[in-house]
Amino acid sequence: MTELMLKYFRSKQQEVQSEKVYESQCPFCSMQCKMQLIEQKVVSRTTHKTVGVDNPTTQGRLCVKGMNAHQHSFHRDRITQPLMKKDGEFVPISWDEALEYIRVNFTGIQETDGLDALSVYGSASLTNEEAYLLGKLARVGLKTKHIDYNGRLCMASAATGANQSFGVDRGFTNTLHEVPNTKCIILAGTNIAECQPTIMPYFEQAKENGAYIIAVDPRETATTEIADLHLKNKPGTDVALASALLKIIVQEDLIDEEFLQERVNGFDEVSRQLSTLDIDDCVAKTGIPKDQLYQAALTFGQEESGMIFTARGIEQQIDGTEAVRGFINILLATGKIGKPYSGYGAITGQGNGQGAREHGQKADQLPGYRSIENIEDRSYIAQVWGVEEKQLPHKGVSAYEMFEEVDEGNITGMLVVCSNPIISSPNANFVKQSLEKLKCLVTVDMFLSETAQLADLVLPASSYLEDQGTMTNVEGRVTLREANRPLPGKVKHDWQIVCDIAEVMGEGDKFSYQSAEEIFEELRVASRGGRADYFGITYDKIRQEKGVLWPCLDIDHKGTERLFEDEFAHEDGRAKMAVIGIYPEFTKEDISEEFPLFLTTGRVMSHYLTGEQTRKSPSLAARNIESYMEIHPETGEQFQLKDQMLVRITSRYGSIVVRSKWSEKIRKDTVFVPFHWGGEQNVNRLVSDELDPFCRMPGFKISPVNVKPALNREEVLIENQRNLESGRDAGRL
Ligand SMILES: Nc1nc2c(c(=O)[nH]1)N[C@H]1C(S)=C(S)[C@@H](COP(=O)(O)OP(=O)(O)OC[C@H]3O[C@@H](n4cnc5c(=O)[nH]c(N)nc54)[C@H](O)[C@@H]3O)O[C@H]1N2
Ligand SMILES: Nc1nc2c(c(=O)[nH]1)N[C@H]1C(S)=C(S)[C@@H](COP(=O)(O)OP(=O)(O)OC[C@H]3O[C@@H](n4cnc5c(=O)[nH]c(N)nc54)[C@H](O)[C@@H]3O)O[C@H]1N2
Ligand code: SF4
Ligand SMILES: [Mo]
């Protein structure tokens, strides 16, 4: 460093008037990277920088989203006081007015339309404490059976599949530290490189150590790039693919008979069904050549250890539960589970995707992964909550089905906390119409999202920098987000808002918490003895151990690194294999002359979910300013399209306009559109309302569509307006 530079830095340092450091965890994906926000006041300017902090899961790494997360929480559009819609405009009001509005309208609905006419729509971006409290609010504070959450659109198939096969669902059965030593890895419908970027070093290390990696995805992605073998299947055919792999494994005698005999039920039925399965049929269905199917099956079967990871590519299908169970069948048949370097991982999506599905905001569930229909579970939780068992409602319906109930007039009031269902739900046009029918819609958000814009009342929520609480990460590790930045304006924490609502609904005595830790203390007890048992976890223990893996049964218990070493979680201690691929109700709409292409949807690296947060972050928004449709150039030409042209995509459910993007990396029968944008670019306007019969997951990953140039006058005007707003060259059309 030159003398001049030194002088410059010294004088800069002197200019720094104050520096504050705030601890937190990234508000986005399930890696829950630990971070610090460094806030510097230099003369009149405040600057912010986010840096990674060491921890057992991500070891200090951050991806581009995490590094820029603070930009949205300081954005000028952040809501900092309650807003009430008056004559079509939002006007700021006091908390007292807001809560009085809720009291009057919610009790009014209860009186005229019945208790179940109120509903709660929650989120897996909430902390465990908040997810737990929202479940309690619905059942005890509002006395309604109608509560569900955005995780239904995310990991419902993975959860149901794992519960059915293993008897319990903790996303990953091992810790990530085992990944580098495994010998064969199947990545089925997961794009970890873009969706959980800080997980990648574990897989890169495995590859360096000689692991054989097989990826299953209709597109080439940054993830398939690390694979030795890429099975580029037709979308929606993963059940057939998993069955074919298992058939070859059985045929070639690569099963672990001892394991099957001692630890697994159902193999005989499965093997009988496989004997009728024709591999050539599977080749035709999946579009995967026979030699590739053999290569994958033989390698996985022969290696001494192996792991299978699934994510939304195979799960967000109307046969998603079956697809998950099909891949788990492979692990059970080869005895690659419950042992070192072998296991199953459903790569968790949202920051608290795991914890938020364990503690009671799912329609059929009570805390600790208990069932709302089981009398012992009900009695236990009723006692923890200080109510009679009979007072607890029974199960309600799933997230999307709540909108159907609204449409039918059975639900007339809704509280949406931390979700943006107009963009994230299937059949989005219908969802919007049904939200418009509500007598009273209250949303709790940091921004006026597309959903919040429809609300009668919007309540301002705190961000990841302000809101302390626990989050259960991709490994099932319960972490403590130590957030303590002061709340801006009149903002409150989600848990405080829940308590305020309970108070005005007359149940305040059961919601009198002073801190997130107090709620956690109750959650510990509520989860005790349940499948997701957190009883042995405390804030202090998480601080000492840097996270604790559940189940953790009591204070002296160290937590559980590897599941199923001795037994599975079903009552008889055995896992259950599943016969799959034989049910007519899973028949998906195929491509046809009218809708000749498969549309699949997903994510890009720089945006998160409905984009409400990441589109407000200039550093992230600049990377992808608008949506697009990835299409193979040969297919594009066949449909009279050009690269970078505005395209109208139409399905049986609606139509949208986005820009084409030529890519040789996608199958010729498939197009891909990310779902981070709303309005005209909302790809969920195209997605069907059909749901998986086991878990009620929508089929986000396959919709038959047609595509054509979007060249009518109205569309050109829309594009010109968008170009003007984004500063893009409007002459392009
Ligand atoms: N950057 C970013 N990261 C995120 C998120 C985000 O929005 N942005 N969201 C977080 C959340 S909540 C989630 S749930 C996860 C999602 O993480 P992923 O599930 O990994 O992400 P997706 O892009 O939805 O889908 C994964 C892959 O499935 C492929 N696919 C599509 N159809 C099929 C099919 O029929 N079969 C198979 N085998 N594959 C198919 C897609 O081409 C895609 O590459 O990511 C989390 N991380
Ligand atoms: N086509 C298609 N659709 C999909 C998917 C797909 O792959 N394809 N994936 C599905 C999946 S996996 C998911 S997880 C869902 C997600 O769907 P959503 O839950 O609707 O998506 P988010 O963008 O996370 O919405 C969160 C909202 O809460 C606000 N918010 C953020 N943090 C907080 C907080 O701490 N408190 C409060 N009160 N508000 C907060 C944000 O501003 C935002 O408006 O989308 C699903 N939809
Ligand atoms: S988005 Fe995920 S990988 Fe990236 S910093 Fe946040 S938690 Fe980590
Ligand atoms: Mo998700």
Side-chain angles (χ1 to χ4, degrees):
M1 210 179 271
T2 64
E3 197 53 36
L4 200 67
M5 280 164 83
L6 268 177
K7 224 166 133 188
Y8 170 79
F9 283 122
R10 258 188 232 118
S11 71
K12 271 274 157 226
Q13 257 171 2
Q14 280 153 11
E15 274 180 29
V16 175
Q17 293 171 333
S18 70
E19 180 176 282
K20 288 202 177 108
V21 178
Y22 297 103
E23 304 292 326
S24 192
Q25 287 170 207
C26 177
F28 302 127
C29 86
S30 57
M31 297 307 290
Q32 279 307 289
C33 299
K34 288 252 175 212
M35 50 175 50
Q36 279 178 342
L37 175 82
I38 301 173
E39 186 170 87
Q40 286 187 341
K41 281 206 166 61
V42 183
V43 195
S44 57
R45 218 162 68 90
T46 306
T47 60
H48 294 108
K49 187 170 77 177
T50 295
V51 296
V53 172
D54 189 30
N55 68 90
T57 305
T58 66
Q59 294 143 346
R61 294 186 285 276
L62 290 181
C63 81
V64 64
K65 285 191 300 306
M67 279 182 236
N68 293 294
H70 57 265
Q71 291 180 348
H72 78 257
S73 62
F74 297 122
H75 196 274
R76 63 178 179 282
D77 290 349
R78 179 103 186 254
I79 309 167
T80 55
Q81 51 192 327
L83 299 174
M84 168 99 82
K85 200 177 272 156
K86 290 185 181 157
D87 303 324
E89 297 284 315
F90 281 111
V91 291
I93 56 167
S94 70
W95 275 103
D96 284 347
E97 270 179 279
L99 290 164
E100 178 59 9
Y101 173 88
I102 289 178
R103 188 189 67 75
V104 170
N105 284 276
F106 279 13
T107 48
I109 285 174
Q110 286 179 328
E111 277 158 23
T112 55
D113 304 339
L115 294 174
D116 289 332
L118 283 181
S119 60
V120 179
Y121 193 106
S123 171
S125 291
L126 297 171
T127 62
N128 285 316
E129 292 78 352
E130 289 160 347
Y132 165 80
L133 216 57
L134 212 54
K136 183 173 172 185
L137 175 75
R139 277 71 176 237
V140 176
L142 305 178
K143 306 179 179 66
T144 176
K145 66 176 181 182
H146 282 132
I147 173 162
D148 212 54
Y149 78 123
N150 65 8
R152 180 72 68 171
L153 317 175
C154 179
M155 298 195 67
S157 325
T160 301
N163 276 322
Q164 290 178 350
S165 292
F166 301 137
V168 75
D169 145 53
R170 187 185 87 182
F172 189 21
T173 56
N174 308 50
T175 67
L176 286 171
H177 300 279
E178 292 192 40
V179 172
N181 293 321
T182 190
K183 292 290 170 226
C184 188
I185 298 171
I186 298 181
L187 297 170
T190 163
N191 186 5
I192 42 177
E194 294 194 67
C195 295
Q196 289 80 13
T198 58
I199 210 173
M200 287 308 276
Y202 293 105
F203 290 83
E204 281 153 4
Q205 189 74 55
K207 202 169 162 73
E208 273 170 36
N209 293 345
Y212 189 84
I213 301 184
I214 301 159
V216 188
D217 196 308
R219 303 183 304 142
E220 286 164 40
T221 64
T223 306
T224 64
E225 260 171 40
I226 67 159
D228 298 277
L229 176 64
H230 176 192
L231 308 178
K232 201 167 169 179
N233 63 332
K234 265 189 217 161
T237 61
D238 299 279
V239 169
L241 192 140
S243 300
L245 296 181
L246 185 58
K247 167 138 186 156
I248 299 165
I249 285 169
V250 174
Q251 227 173 30
E252 301 295 318
D253 210 10
L254 294 170
I255 55 173
D256 183 337
E257 287 196 28
E258 202 182 312
F259 189 85
L260 282 168
Q261 210 144 43
E262 283 173 12
R263 305 200 50 189
V264 181
N265 290 330
F267 177 66
D268 291 345
E269 289 94 311
V270 171
S271 94
R272 260 199 302 282
Q273 183 234 350
L274 287 177
S275 64
T276 65
L277 186 86
D278 181 355
I279 296 283
D280 291 323
D281 270 357
C282 296
V283 169
K285 244 187 215 157
T286 59
I288 303 294
K290 206 179 206 167
D291 59 325
Q292 290 188 9
L293 289 175
Y294 270 86
Q295 173 71 14
L298 294 183
T299 313
F300 194 82
Q302 279 161 358
E303 288 294 355
E304 74 209 35
S305 59
M307 289 184 174
I308 298 183
F309 294 90
T310 66
R312 309 309 85 80
I314 72 148
E315 297 163 13
Q316 287 173 328
Q317 307 273 358
I318 58 166
D319 58 0
T321 308
E322 284 224 304
V324 167
R325 296 201 73 189
F327 280 101
I328 292 177
N329 277 351
I330 296 174
L331 290 170
L332 294 173
T334 55
K336 289 190 170 69
I337 184 117
K339 296 176 183 167
Y341 319 130
S342 289
Y344 170 68
I347 303 278
T348 304
Q350 297 167 87
N352 197 24
Q354 182 66 46
R357 70 172 179 269
E358 297 164 357
H359 299 296
Q361 57 171 336
K362 226 173 166 177
D364 55 355
Q365 204 198 53
L366 291 172
Y369 235 133
R370 288 186 158 87
S371 162
I372 201 161
E373 296 304 333
N374 175 299
I375 182 72
E376 283 161 27
D377 288 352
R378 292 171 61 82
S379 306
Y380 179 76
I381 294 298
Q383 170 244 314
V384 175
W385 286 349
V387 295
E388 295 288 315
E389 178 273 316
K390 283 190 220 64
Q391 287 175 273
L392 289 182
H394 284 268
K395 75 173 173 197
V397 297
S398 73
Y400 179 78
E401 290 167 303
M402 289 211 284
F403 300 118
E404 293 180 330
E405 293 291 315
V406 174
D407 187 55
E408 283 163 22
N410 300 327
I411 291 179
T412 55
M414 188 177 281
L415 173 70
V416 178
V417 185
C418 192
S419 186
N420 188 10
I422 291 185
I423 302 188
S424 53
S425 304
N427 200 10
N429 285 329
F430 169 83
V431 169
K432 182 164 187 219
Q433 282 162 20
S434 84
L435 282 169
E436 281 165 347
K437 285 189 179 174
L438 285 166
K439 286 185 188 165
C440 176
L441 172 61
V442 179
T443 66
V444 186
D445 205 302
M446 296 189 297
F447 298 105
L448 274 182
S449 69
E450 221 170 288
T451 305
Q453 281 168 34
L454 285 190
D456 302 290
L457 176 68
V458 184
L459 302 176
S462 57
S463 81
Y464 74 106
L465 293 170
E466 300 129 21
D467 191 19
Q468 189 194 39
T470 61
M471 311 282 281
T472 306
N473 77 6
V474 69
E475 298 179 290
R477 200 184 291 274
V478 184
T479 63
L480 177 58
R481 186 172 76 188
E482 302 265 23
N484 66 352
R485 199 170 180 279
L487 291 169
K490 303 266 164 49
V491 163
K492 291 193 184 196
H493 298 306
D494 290 298
W495 64 264
Q496 291 174 321
I497 297 171
V498 169
C499 295
D500 286 352
I501 295 176
E503 169 87 36
V504 294
M505 296 303 287
E507 299 291 343
D509 59 324
K510 301 187 185 70
F511 292 80
S512 57
Y513 313 95
Q514 298 307 310
S515 67
E517 188 168 4
E518 265 184 40
I519 304 167
F520 191 77
E521 285 300 307
E522 186 179 299
L523 182 159
R524 288 178 55 212
V525 177
S527 76
R528 187 176 199 180
R531 279 186 281 173
D533 192 331
Y534 282 35
F535 183 66
I537 307 176
T538 62
Y539 274 28
D540 282 345
K541 186 159 166 182
I542 302 177
R543 286 187 183 114
Q544 269 160 27
E545 311 274 325
K546 298 191 170 170
V548 181
L549 289 140
W550 73 259
C552 181
L553 310 187
D554 57 56
I555 291 295
D556 305 324
H557 192 275
K558 280 202 73 68
T560 311
E561 296 215 329
R562 192 182 303 119
L563 297 177
F564 316 139
E565 285 184 292
D566 303 316
E567 54 177 15
F568 290 95
H570 286 302
E571 239 162 56
D572 62 0
R574 295 165 71 87
K576 279 190 195 148
M577 279 182 90
V579 172
I580 56 166
I582 55 163
Y583 302 101
E585 61 261 42
F586 292 123
T587 310
K588 297 174 190 171
E589 187 187 342
D590 207 346
I591 45 177
S592 59
E593 215 172 296
E594 194 183 1
F595 299 113
L597 292 170
F598 291 114
L599 161 76
T600 192
T601 65
R603 295 151 165 84
V604 300
M605 168 82 131
S606 58
H607 281 292
Y608 188 68
L609 301 178
T610 66
E612 203 45 60
Q613 290 152 279
T614 46
R615 280 187 274 120
K616 301 218 168 48
S617 166
S619 309
L620 296 174
R623 290 168 182 248
N624 288 88
I625 54 159
E626 60 179 1
S627 188
Y628 62 86
M629 174 187 78
E630 193 176 310
I631 186 168
H632 195 284
E634 275 179 36
T635 315
E637 275 161 23
Q638 206 185 318
F639 285 84
Q640 279 80 50
L641 306 180
K642 293 191 171 63
D643 191 16
Q644 297 294 312
M645 177 191 235
L646 280 183
V647 182
R648 180 165 288 285
I649 316 177
T650 309
S651 81
R652 215 170 277 295
Y653 294 83
S655 97
I656 63 167
V657 177
V658 293
R659 199 175 291 282
S660 65
K661 184 171 166 185
W662 262 204
S663 164
E664 301 205 339
K665 296 182 170 179
I666 190 161
R667 288 178 58 91
K668 289 180 191 162
D669 56 5
T670 304
V671 297
F672 170 85
V673 179
F675 84 105
H676 312 294
W677 288 268
E680 270 292 302
Q681 305 180 75
N682 182 350
V683 71
N684 277 325
R685 292 182 179 183
L686 307 177
V687 173
S688 119
D689 56 359
E690 270 188 86
L691 306 173
D692 178 312
F694 292 118
C695 69
R696 319 312 281 157
M697 166 67 86
F700 289 122
K701 289 296 191 269
I702 148 170
S703 313
V705 293
N706 209 335
V707 296
K708 63 171 191 182
L711 285 178
N712 69 38
R713 205 182 123 69
E714 172 210 353
E715 286 157 4
V716 172
L717 287 177
I718 290 170
E719 167 60 5
N720 283 350
Q721 183 58 33
R722 197 179 293 147
N723 286 343
L724 270 178
E725 282 165 12
S726 66
R728 188 193 259 272
D729 173 13
R732 205 160 190 163
L733 262 174

